[in-house]
Amino acid sequence: MSSTFINALDLPRLREEPRFEILVQSLESLTVNPSTWSESDVDTDAPRDDIAISRYLTSILKSPLDWLRDGEGLDADERREKLLDLTSQRLAERCGRSAMGEISRGWVLPTFRDRPELKLEIREPPLIGDNLGFKTWGTAWAMAQKLDDIGLNHFSHLIYDNLNIFTDPTGKIFTKPRARILELGSGTGLFGLAAATMWNCDAILTDMKIIEGNLNFNIEKNDTLLNSRGLKACSDVLDWTDPENGLSKCSDKEFEIVLASDPLYDENHPEMVANMIKEFIKPNTTSRAMVAVPLRDEKTRGFANKLQEIMNLYDFKLLYNDEEICRDDWANNGEEVKSWWGVWGLPNC
């Protein structure tokens, strides 16, 4: 978010009947951009005298704005409507993520070795009902920022060795791993797209049918970046209760890498996620699965423990685990939550 402090006393006074253009400019200056949970965001989440500004915005909604006149293609009523819309948006932005409606965020991934900086553009539709997949969750971003280290230390045999060389239709030569990524419960696709572009792997990102449309939108939105790296990514539907009818777009349903970020929301999910990994991971000792689970409370800690127990029962070997600090839209005062993550291999790894 912007770090510019705006004092409500510096805003145009309604009793002085400010011009339409002045009010529009002032309302646009009060925009609160969606956070990407960086340190600067945490430091400047509320630098704007928000209580007084909220009162100012409310005063605009209460005002008849009856001094407005026709001009520049808009009549007085249209101008009034535009001001009320802008005012409502500014208030919604101050009421938390659920009130903000559709948003888009740009997520910047730093350079690594000879790879340039990458920027992913992710759309999040309005949060309606139980559609948790329409929001980008803090664990996805926290883990995306760790993917270079994780890839180097735990997936290097899959993403740096055993490479394919190919030429695209323009004649450009690329190298990329033979390994493909399957992401479970992709949501908005941030984590899966980050893994694809940072590890240079083709990827299938999956979720429920109701989520898949926005997931596909975000893949297409980042198509230029994917193409520039010679990568293919697509969305597909995968219902964990009906895996036999999932991945309808895939002819090869075995993957060397299976990923999931923040996939556990009820007591049935640990077993479902373990089943999906077992079902779709390529039966090879070099294949790997990684799951990250935010430890929001005792219930989610229990989900993480249950997942580990089931993976052990399925004879997967936990090769490494750790915790990362993550932030989210609904944390207070930059409150941090730890996310547990683990990397598994198949038996005899």
Side-chain angles (χ1 to χ4, degrees):
M1 299 182 185
S2 170
S3 59
T4 303
F5 183 90
I6 298 178
N7 191 313
L9 296 176
D10 295 328
L11 296 168
R13 299 178 182 180
L14 298 185
R15 65 173 176 268
E16 295 177 359
E17 300 185 353
R19 292 187 297 114
F20 169 76
E21 293 79 8
I22 296 297
L23 284 172
V24 169
Q25 183 179 26
S26 298
L27 289 169
E28 288 177 345
S29 75
L30 295 175
T31 300
V32 179
N33 295 314
S35 173
T36 54
W37 313 315
S38 67
E39 291 296 333
S40 59
D41 281 338
V42 173
D43 292 340
T44 61
D45 263 355
R48 299 167 171 268
D49 193 15
D50 266 353
I51 294 177
I53 286 177
S54 294
R55 289 173 179 162
Y56 177 79
L57 293 170
T58 302
S59 73
I60 294 177
L61 294 180
K62 292 179 178 178
S63 171
L65 302 173
D66 51 9
W67 65 87
L68 297 174
R69 298 292 180 263
D70 299 351
E72 295 185 5
L74 295 175
D75 63 29
D77 287 339
E78 290 171 328
R79 288 184 161 207
R80 187 179 300 108
E81 192 67 28
K82 181 171 182 177
L83 289 175
L84 293 177
D85 285 345
L86 284 173
T87 303
S88 298
Q89 290 174 29
R90 298 296 87 86
L91 277 171
E93 291 162 1
R94 288 161 170 78
C95 294
R97 175 63 188 93
S98 296
M100 290 177 72
E102 179 178 309
I103 64 172
S104 291
R105 315 192 211 204
W107 306 88
V108 178
L109 300 161
T111 58
F112 181 73
R113 292 184 166 182
D114 60 349
R115 188 198 69 218
E117 180 180 272
L118 306 173
K119 184 175 182 180
L120 295 170
E121 297 288 343
I122 299 295
R123 181 183 75 173
E124 301 177 32
L127 300 181
I128 300 173
D130 296 329
N131 295 327
L132 301 176
F134 285 156
K135 173 178 156 38
T136 299
W137 296 93
T139 296
W141 179 232
M143 295 305 300
Q145 295 174 91
K146 293 290 295 183
L147 283 173
D148 283 326
D149 289 338
I150 292 171
L152 188 62
N153 293 314
H154 307 292
F155 292 79
S156 61
H157 63 291
L158 291 170
I159 63 178
Y160 296 122
D161 303 329
N162 198 23
L163 302 178
N164 273 335
I165 300 175
F166 71 98
T167 305
D168 74 2
T170 69
K172 187 175 181 179
I173 297 174
F174 294 93
T175 61
K176 65 181 178 183
R178 290 187 172 89
R180 296 179 306 141
I181 295 170
L182 172 68
E183 187 186 19
L184 307 172
S186 299
T188 62
L190 172 62
F191 185 56
L193 285 169
T197 53
M198 295 169 78
W199 290 354
N200 227 38
C201 294
D202 293 342
I204 308 295
L205 280 57
T206 68
D207 214 305
M208 300 290 288
K209 187 173 181 59
I210 193 172
I211 304 298
E212 196 242 353
N214 185 64
L215 179 57
N216 185 65
F217 177 92
N218 283 332
I219 292 172
E220 292 182 349
K221 193 171 185 178
N222 292 280
D223 196 48
T224 299
L225 174 60
L226 292 164
N227 288 338
S228 73
R229 302 184 63 74
L231 300 174
K232 296 178 182 178
C234 73
S235 64
D236 209 338
V237 174
L238 180 57
D239 182 339
W240 299 346
T241 66
D242 186 24
E244 294 81 4
N245 293 312
L247 301 185
S248 61
K249 300 176 185 177
C250 296
S251 56
D252 180 359
K253 299 185 180 183
E254 293 183 347
F255 298 83
E256 294 84 355
I257 300 172
V258 181
L259 304 176
S261 170
D262 199 353
L264 310 180
Y265 286 87
D266 70 40
E267 59 186 12
N268 296 316
H269 285 168
E271 184 173 5
M272 288 181 177
V273 169
N275 285 339
M276 294 306 97
I277 294 172
K278 183 180 178 183
E279 176 76 18
F280 295 111
I281 198 165
K282 190 171 185 176
N284 191 309
T285 57
T286 61
S287 297
R288 295 289 183 268
M290 181 173 72
V291 181
V293 182
L295 307 177
R296 298 185 178 97
D297 50 31
E298 288 305 311
K299 190 172 184 178
T300 50
R301 288 180 182 275
F303 293 162
N305 291 334
K306 186 176 179 181
L307 175 66
Q308 294 175 65
E309 292 170 3
I310 297 171
M311 292 292 283
N312 185 58
L313 287 174
Y314 288 170
D315 290 329
F316 284 90
K317 182 178 180 181
L318 183 62
L319 303 175
Y320 186 84
N321 69 98
D322 203 348
E323 293 182 358
E324 299 300 327
I325 292 173
C326 66
R327 299 187 177 95
D328 214 320
D329 296 307
W330 295 331
N332 295 318
N333 301 318
E335 179 184 350
E336 297 170 341
V337 173
K338 286 187 175 180
S339 288
W340 177 92
W341 60 275
V343 177
W344 287 269
L346 274 70
N348 302 318
C349 301

